[in-house]
Amino acid sequence: MVKIGRNEQCPCGSGKKYKKCCLPQQQDRQNAILQPRPITVVSEIASLQAAAMNRQEIFKSIGVFIFFSTREGDAWLLELSDMDAVQVAKAGERIEVEINESPETIEVNWPYQFMIKDKVFITTAYLDKAVKDYPGYPTAAISAAIRKLQGRFSSDLLDQIHVDEQAAA
């Protein structure tokens, strides 16, 4: 690879010095690559839904959240401190989820609570208390993430994550 001096003629053929022509654009491209994109729940869900549509297995833990998809095309967002869950894809089809995200807060309409029992992922619907089993989900990884979170943060701190809706009203 040839290194171009700032004061040399630009290789693009403009006749200008490199520092006045293509160097600023090159630096902008490098800065864009080096600048990390902020992680948002909404963007992670979009990536997860794309993986589910392609039947790719993904497992990612970020803070109190777990994002996972299965080869069957199911995808879920889990919240570990309250064991809440929302399905974001089913059989490779995207499911719309109600999420309001700002730099200060993340509000998710959680339709389920989840648990791991006998290596099976189980949900209980908040609305009608219906229980459903999902065999074959990554329960070992989910359980490990829960243990890691509980070891890292006190239960008092985890309780502060949630805003009591009645107190906020």
Side-chain angles (χ1 to χ4, degrees), residues 128-160:
D128 61 5
K129 304 297 180 210
V131 176
K132 187 168 180 183
D133 297 0
Y134 298 87
Y137 278 16
T139 56
I142 294 168
S143 296
I146 292 168
R147 285 191 302 276
K148 184 176 179 181
L149 180 74
Q150 290 170 340
R152 185 179 289 164
F153 302 107
S154 70
S155 59
D156 290 339
L157 184 60
L158 291 174
D159 287 343
Q160 293 176 13

Side-chain angles (χ1 to χ4, degrees), residues 17-36:
K17 289 185 177 182
Y18 181 57
K19 69 181 178 185
K20 298 280 188 183
C21 189
C22 292
L23 178 61
Q25 295 169 4
Q26 179 69 20
Q27 289 172 335
D28 289 346
R29 281 194 294 272
Q30 287 175 343
N31 287 339
I33 291 169
L34 296 175
Q35 294 290 328

Side-chain angles (χ1 to χ4, degrees), residues 100-147:
N100 295 315
E101 186 172 19
S102 74
E104 295 83 31
T105 61
I106 301 169
E107 297 175 20
V108 180
N109 183 14
W110 301 105
Y112 304 103
Q113 196 160 37
F114 78 93
M115 64 188 247
I116 308 294
K117 185 176 180 181
D118 299 327
K119 299 181 181 180
V120 176
F121 182 83
I122 301 168
T123 61
T124 303
Y126 281 115
L127 188 60
D128 61 5
K129 304 297 180 210
V131 176
K132 187 168 180 183
D133 297 0
Y134 298 87
Y137 278 16
T139 56
I142 294 168
S143 296
I146 292 168
R147 285 191 302 276

Side-chain angles (χ1 to χ4, degrees), residues 2-22:
V2 177
K3 184 164 173 119
I4 303 166
R6 293 173 43 84
N7 290 315
E8 293 180 26
Q9 273 203 337
C10 191
C12 76
S14 66
K16 296 179 183 178
K17 289 185 177 182
Y18 181 57
K19 69 181 178 185
K20 298 280 188 183
C21 189
C22 292

Side-chain angles (χ1 to χ4, degrees), residues 64-76:
V64 296
F65 297 110
I66 288 179
F67 304 83
F68 76 90
S69 61
T70 67
R71 281 189 207 157
E72 291 76 28
D74 292 350
W76 290 79

